[in-house]
Amino acid sequence: MTVSVSITVNGKPVTRQVEGRTLLVQFLRETLGLTGTHVGCDTSQCGACVVHVDGRSVKSCTLLAAQADGCAVTTIEGLAAADGALHPMQAAFREHHALQCGFCTPGMVMSAVDLANRHPGGMDETTVREGLEGNICRCTGYHNIVKAVIAGADTMRGAPAKAAE
Amino acid sequence: MAPLDGIGASLRRKEDQRFLTGKGRYTDDFNRHGQLHAYFLRSPHAHARIRGIDTGRAKAAPGVVDVFTGADTKAIGGLICGWMITSKDGTPMKAGSHRPLAEDKVRYVGDHVAIVIAETYNEAKDAAELIDVDYDVLTAVVVTDKARAPGAPLVHDEIAKNTCYEWSLGDKAATDAAFAKAAHVTKLDIVNNRLVPNAIEPRAAIGDYDSGMDSFTLYTTSQNPHVARLVLSAFNGIAPEHKLRVIAPDVGGGFGSKIFIYAEETVCLWASKQVGRPVKWTGDRSEAFLADAHGRDHVTTAEMAMARDGTILGLRVHTTANLGAYLSTFASCVPTYLYAPLLSGQYRIPAIYAEVDGVYTNTAPVDAYRGAGRPEATFVIERMVETAAREMKIDPAEFRRRNFVPADAFPYQTPVIMTYDSGQYHKVLDEALTLSDYAGFPARKAESAARGKLRGIGFCSYIEACGIAPSAAVGSLGAGVGLWESAKVRFNPTGNVLLYTGSHQHGQGHETTFAQLISTYLGVPTDQVEVIHGDTEKTPFGMGTYGSRSLAVGGSAIVKACEKVIEKGRKIAAHLLEAAEGDIEFKDGKFTVAGTDRAKSIQEIAFAAYVPHNYPQGVEPGLEESAFYDPVNFTFPSGTQVCEVEIDPDTGVTTIVNFVAIDDFGKIINPMIVEGQVHGGIVQGIGQALLENAVYDPESGQLLTGSYMDYTMPRADDVPSFKVGLVETPCPHNPLGVKGCGEAGAIAAPASVMNAVTDAIGKHMQMPATPERVWRAIHGTAV
């Protein structure tokens, strides 16, 4: 059984016929070829597949593509500015060495952007650590991710950016 | 002036742009024209005889192209283990048959039974449910220290007592003599809990046979594509090496689990020729839990003999190491030569004797996982040292100081093979004590006690062996390969550089660190350097990345290739500058006639080499040099961690309130990357100590911790931030003076955390110190 799914992905409307059981992450990776969104588990635990659906972070392995019909989805490919300038959170991850193998990174960055949006007053370390509880990273030990998220959130809300040591 | 992006700079990583923008290219991101999808049917039983397999209904299912079982894949050579261990009675280890698809028996839950190949992944997965396997279910042997029990079921019918080897190292008589004169003996039973590596990218493979060229290409999640090609050619017999290309593109973490050559890539590669189309398999997390090689799983009894003043006289260790159902690629060496030679730790121990029994069980194969043998050894010696100090009422830091190998004693020959090259153990410990405010601990403990909390502090002064390894030395110990590394430096006519390495990066930042070497040695800025790795058709043969070897061995090969470039460049420069070759100096990217301002940049020399109109006679055109480097010794990074915990006795919850790591990795190329490696390693070690545990049902052999719902991965809110520092004692025997940093955190942290936990509760307990187990330990109902 196929269903018709219409989603605005990274600002571009797309319509595709897909199998009913197609997950949003499969739709993004396999139907649209947007392979920046990753699959790291099969129990909605690791967070490598996090994208934004109508502005909120969502584990795209937990949603059928059909459930996102009519929604606006932003993936890691759609985060940087049109001219290629990195989003402040992406830039902060680079500046603070908050990624190693890069596999959890897209989901981690998308979660971090949403976390920052939900805390417009800024965040302390505990808030960041608890807020990222749904994203597993095996490489970094989270130390630099926490620093990056605090710095990226500061930049997002217009506070002066602090360079890493 | 030295360039700002060379050795010592915390240069931001070149590879980050693609990872941050979703443009990384991992194996599952590749799709080949006409590609089919594979699904592996796995054994639901830990131990069963296969009476028959009926694939008829599956083959007729929608979209299915073919189904293969063990009966179809007899032409594929068996999966191998590349290190021969000899038992103490002189007999060779007993390696059972390891077929890519099971033939007579299945031997663990997740063992490979059949491959279904279909137009889509879902069709393959659906069809697998239609395969009828007639199993005669057998009793399983699961628990490590019951594998050799009389009457235990046999994993391999022909291997008695499920024993692969009974191996020993050291001088038993001398050790017995040391114990005979001991004033105090400390004894501990130690379990090193079984772990699942859990790189966040699951393993994947695409086999692609080209009938026009009669050649194969394999895209795979590998830490060592050349080793994979060698094994797939020479042992599995899929294709000769010149007809097989292995590409390991971006790889999402390895931690050892992607060193090995598994059934999945072997069968997909073979099957692509059978079905005449590319065959892709991407594992899911459940499959990773079941069938990626696991780590650790030792059961150990250790005894240490001391003189009255706390001087260590001897160490005696017996370990049973669970190897799982089959010998994985390097499984045999991990609990032997990568383990027991590290039991001397940072200490002068006159006599050591270790026995290791490697046993088969009906569980997933166990092989190298971050640290590979050294975490197990470090855990034994550091738990013993801490416990001995407490029993003898000597401050644990002081106990270590009294027994450390002093800085003027290097090179230091241990009684267990290793010759330590360098170190400053006292200095490192002192810095760790300062940074952790050890002097202030009693006050903090009292403050915690006033709140009803238990506070503990624990040390781990670790040694490890990196930069594996001198080929002749490991060959004499049974290794089937050499462990050198390769590099090729190619200047382009316009002056930029392609650097080809036999190492492979999967998070370590080679594209940045290696470019920094080129910046320093050749004066070419890092943005003019492209580091190429992971493709057997592009790079020189390399042994790959594991054992924290890439910089110490692979980096040394790069330095040697750079030296050859400079040597040739000097000849060209002498000709162009009309000077004697001996008068040409090379510095910061310029060849200069000594004592003059006459100079040519290395870019000008490269151009001249490719457009040799005015060129020295007898010199070949082009500027491209290769080098292979075989190390003369292991390197020996060392360090001290101090962990401070607070435990709530009512809930058993352990909180790490302070964590300090001082490491001596020798010379540092990129401090930012090195610190990142330390952070990540520490959290893997904390994970082992507090959270992670691979648990099989002891009767049925079902994996009870088969997903992230059951297996507790460290998350951001489980761990603290860290205070890390570096002491630099250059390695004396490689050109960079580097030692390796990739595993230290994971090697040391289990001991530093457990020493803190046991200090807090005043009792020995086994890992992981989960709240329940800590609560039971405190309240006397230990599990």
Side-chain angles (χ1 to χ4, degrees):
Chain A
M1 186 200 73
T2 65
V3 292
S4 176
V5 174
S6 295
I7 304 176
T8 301
V9 179
N10 298 330
K12 280 198 332 209
V14 296
T15 298
R16 295 286 191 280
Q17 293 289 323
V18 297
E19 242 192 306
R21 59 179 162 176
T22 304
L23 299 170
L24 178 58
V25 67
Q26 294 169 324
F27 182 79
L28 295 169
R29 286 183 57 81
E30 292 157 28
T31 309
L32 302 183
L34 292 170
T35 55
T37 302
H38 296 151
V39 179
C41 75
D42 41 23
T43 51
S44 291
Q45 291 286 308
C46 80
C49 66
V50 169
V51 299
H52 292 179
V53 177
D54 291 338
R56 293 294 304 268
S57 61
V58 165
K59 287 177 173 170
S60 62
C61 72
T62 309
L63 207 64
L64 294 167
Q67 289 175 287
D69 187 51
C71 295
V73 171
T74 305
T75 71
I76 190 71
E77 289 94 340
L79 198 60
D83 66 357
L86 293 180
H87 182 280
M89 194 60 78
Q90 291 169 311
F93 268 61
R94 180 185 161 91
E95 174 65 18
H96 293 273
H97 185 33
L99 62 153
Q100 289 180 24
C101 81
F103 197 80
C104 78
T105 306
M108 195 69 79
V109 168
M110 298 309 283
S111 288
V113 169
D114 185 44
L115 189 64
N117 285 336
R118 287 187 280 118
H119 294 85
M123 291 176 288
D124 62 8
E125 179 174 335
T126 303
T127 308
V128 172
R129 286 186 178 277
E130 288 175 356
L132 293 180
E133 195 261 353
N135 292 76
I136 299 175
C137 171
R138 193 54 149 171
C139 295
T140 65
Y142 304 104
H143 180 106
N144 287 342
I145 289 178
V146 172
K147 285 203 295 188
V149 173
I150 290 172
D154 283 348
T155 312
M156 282 169 66
R157 65 195 171 89
K162 226 171 60 181
E165 284 155 26
Chain B
M1 196 187 82
L4 296 174
D5 61 358
I7 290 175
S10 282
L11 186 69
R12 301 308 185 256
R13 297 201 320 170
K14 289 161 66 72
E15 44 274 80
D16 286 356
Q17 176 71 23
R18 68 177 186 274
F19 295 137
L20 282 165
T21 54
K23 299 290 165 56
R25 292 271 274 161
Y26 302 87
T27 299
D28 186 54
D29 300 338
F30 287 79
N31 292 294
R32 307 297 296 162
H33 182 68
Q35 161 185 294
L36 296 166
H37 296 265
Y39 182 81
F40 283 87
L41 180 70
R42 296 173 185 279
S43 170
H45 304 294
H47 196 194
R49 208 165 293 283
I50 299 173
R51 285 192 286 232
I53 305 177
D54 181 355
T55 58
R57 285 195 303 151
K59 280 182 176 167
V64 171
V65 172
D66 217 333
V67 179
F68 300 108
T69 68
D72 306 309
T73 51
K74 289 183 185 294
I76 305 177
L79 304 181
I80 59 140
C81 177
W83 198 306
M84 173 55 72
I85 298 298
T86 304
S87 284
K88 56 193 169 198
D89 67 2
T91 58
M93 69 180 189
K94 296 173 180 65
S97 165
H98 191 182
R99 299 299 306 156
L101 296 177
E103 291 174 6
D104 55 335
K105 288 210 296 189
V106 286
R107 294 184 172 85
Y108 66 101
V109 174
D111 202 355
H112 314 71
V113 175
I115 180 174
V116 183
I117 300 168
E119 296 291 339
T120 72
Y121 175 76
N122 282 341
E123 286 169 338
K125 196 172 180 180
D126 289 346
E129 288 187 22
L130 303 175
I131 298 175
D132 237 337
V133 187
D134 184 6
Y135 289 112
D136 175 16
V137 179
L138 305 171
T139 309
V141 56
V142 178
V143 180
T144 307
D145 52 2
K146 291 185 180 162
R148 285 157 55 85
L154 295 180
V155 178
H156 299 271
D157 298 352
E158 70 281 16
I159 299 178
K161 287 177 76 182
N162 290 314
T163 301
C164 180
Y165 48 71
E166 295 172 329
W167 176 85
S168 70
L169 183 67
D171 187 334
K172 183 173 189 302
T175 307
D176 289 345
F179 275 80
K181 62 182 182 192
H184 182 85
V185 172
T186 290
K187 184 175 178 192
L188 275 185
D189 292 323
I190 293 170
V191 176
N192 204 289
N193 44 326
R194 187 182 184 109
L195 304 173
V196 182
N198 272 308
I200 303 299
E201 179 204 25
R203 288 188 295 114
I206 308 170
D208 189 353
Y209 174 70
D210 180 336
S211 61
M213 297 292 288
D214 190 27
S215 67
F216 289 83
T217 302
L218 174 67
Y219 295 79
T220 184
T221 47
S222 175
Q223 300 176 212
N224 30 239
H226 271 105
V227 175
R229 190 187 67 169
L230 176 65
V231 171
L232 288 162
S233 287
F235 297 97
N236 305 125
I238 308 283
E241 276 187 285
H242 69 297
K243 290 290 188 182
L244 173 56
R245 176 183 187 182
V246 177
I247 299 171
D250 287 329
V251 172
F255 314 111
S257 69
K258 293 171 182 168
I259 297 171
F260 321 122
I261 290 77
Y262 290 90
E264 290 89 351
E265 57 264 30
T266 307
V267 175
C268 283
L269 187 62
W270 169 85
S272 69
K273 184 173 180 182
Q274 310 304 309
V275 298
R277 289 166 66 181
V279 176
K280 179 177 187 173
W281 168 78
T282 300
D284 61 26
R285 182 57 51 188
S286 298
E287 292 180 281
F289 271 102
L290 291 175
D292 285 7
H294 292 182
R296 320 288 190 247
D297 204 340
H298 286 194
V299 176
T300 294
T301 302
E303 297 167 279
M304 194 159 75
M306 271 72 60
R308 199 163 305 283
D309 64 353
T311 304
I312 304 172
L313 303 174
L315 177 69
R316 192 153 51 199
V317 173
H318 181 276
T319 293
T320 305
N322 192 342
L323 301 168
Y326 302 99
L327 280 187
S328 172
T329 314
F330 286 107
S332 56
C333 68
V334 175
T336 50
Y337 285 111
L338 301 186
Y339 168 66
L342 277 300
L343 284 169
S344 194
Q346 296 190 357
Y347 311 104
R348 284 173 298 182
I349 304 180
I352 299 176
Y353 180 65
E355 291 179 321
V356 179
D357 301 330
V359 301
Y360 292 107
T361 59
N362 292 115
T363 63
V366 179
D367 205 327
Y369 165 61
R370 201 170 191 171
R374 292 103 87 206
E376 296 92 318
T378 299
F379 194 72
V380 169
I381 183 68
E382 286 303 289
R383 284 291 295 125
M384 293 302 287
V385 163
E386 195 89 6
T387 306
R390 287 175 194 161
E391 288 175 355
M392 298 184 78
K393 310 219 180 306
I394 301 171
D395 176 89
E398 176 56 27
F399 186 95
R400 285 176 169 80
R401 254 190 226 109
R402 284 182 200 174
N403 286 288
F404 276 160
V405 176
D408 61 4
F410 294 95
Y412 173 77
Q413 176 64 52
T414 74
V416 277
I417 300 177
M418 294 301 194
T419 307
Y420 295 169
D421 57 9
S422 62
Q424 303 181 70
Y425 306 152
H426 291 87
K427 181 179 178 188
V428 169
L429 176 66
D430 289 344
E431 292 202 12
L433 294 179
T434 305
L435 194 58
S436 62
D437 184 24
Y438 185 52
F441 176 73
R444 296 194 295 277
K445 187 175 175 72
E447 189 276 330
S448 292
R451 287 184 286 109
K453 302 290 197 286
L454 305 172
R455 203 172 185 103
I457 195 162
F459 298 86
C460 177
S461 296
Y462 75 90
I463 184 86
E464 66 146 324
C466 291
I468 186 167
S471 296
V474 294
S476 74
L477 301 177
V481 290
L483 287 166
W484 42 266
E485 199 45 87
S486 63
K488 183 168 76 181
V489 174
R490 175 187 294 169
F491 268 87
N492 293 315
T494 52
N496 43 37
V497 170
L498 296 174
L499 170 61
Y500 301 82
T501 171
S503 302
H504 184 277
Q505 84 154 20
H506 28 280
Q508 298 89 343
H510 294 169
E511 290 173 34
T512 305
T513 303
F514 288 179
Q516 289 180 261
L517 301 184
I518 298 295
S519 172
T520 291
Y521 279 87
L522 297 179
V524 177
T526 53
D527 64 357
Q528 298 293 304
V529 181
E530 198 74 9
V531 177
I532 294 161
H533 61 95
D535 184 339
T536 58
E537 248 177 41
K538 290 182 180 169
T539 64
F541 197 108
M543 295 308 296
T545 288
Y546 40 81
S548 303
R549 68 191 300 273
S550 291
L551 194 57
V553 191
S556 296
I558 293 169
V559 172
K560 287 190 65 173
C562 288
E563 286 168 352
K564 291 183 184 177
V565 165
I566 294 166
E567 194 184 328
K568 182 170 182 180
R570 196 187 305 278
K571 288 186 172 64
I572 302 167
H575 175 83
L576 294 176
L577 294 166
E578 298 175 337
E581 203 183 311
D583 290 338
I584 301 291
E585 293 173 344
F586 180 74
K587 197 172 175 235
D588 297 342
K590 274 190 180 158
F591 293 94
T592 306
V593 181
T596 75
D597 60 357
R598 290 193 297 133
K600 290 280 183 191
S601 72
I602 196 163
Q603 288 83 1
E604 290 175 285
I605 297 302
F607 184 80
Y610 287 101
V611 189
H613 296 167
N614 176 18
Y615 205 65
Q617 269 194 345
V619 177
E620 290 177 15
L623 194 56
E624 171 175 318
E625 296 291 345
S626 294
F628 287 73
Y629 178 80
D630 201 342
V632 299
N633 191 0
F634 286 86
T635 63
F636 294 93
S638 60
T640 289
Q641 293 182 350
V642 184
C643 175
E644 198 167 321
V645 300
E646 190 175 80
I647 293 174
D648 183 337
D650 295 332
T651 62
V653 170
T654 299
T655 306
I656 295 173
V657 290
N658 195 19
F659 199 107
V660 164
I662 306 289
D663 293 292
D664 183 350
F665 299 135
K667 186 87 182 150
I668 301 298
I669 309 301
N670 184 319
M672 176 192 79
I673 287 176
V674 168
E675 287 183 8
Q677 291 293 310
V678 173
H679 299 152
I682 289 171
V683 168
Q684 272 175 295
I686 292 174
Q688 170 163 27
L690 297 183
L691 303 165
E692 299 179 41
N693 203 20
V695 181
Y696 282 93
D697 180 272
E699 302 298 322
S700 70
Q702 293 293 330
L703 181 63
L704 302 179
T705 51
S707 81
Y708 290 153
M709 314 283 279
D710 318 291
Y711 184 94
T712 317
M713 290 285 280
R715 297 174 191 245
D717 57 350
D718 292 317
V719 293
S721 289
F722 309 105
K723 297 174 190 157
V724 302
L726 295 166
V727 166
E728 286 192 21
T729 315
C731 173
H733 59 76
N734 65 47
L736 285 162
V738 298
K739 295 181 177 177
C741 67
E743 296 160 291
I747 286 168
S752 62
V753 174
M754 291 309 291
N755 282 337
V757 168
T758 54
D759 181 46
I761 66 175
K763 290 176 184 172
H764 176 52
M765 70 171 290
Q766 308 291 1
M767 298 187 284
T770 59
E772 180 196 350
R773 292 160 66 109
V774 170
W775 188 91
R776 287 182 185 276
I778 293 170
H779 297 278
T781 53
V783 284

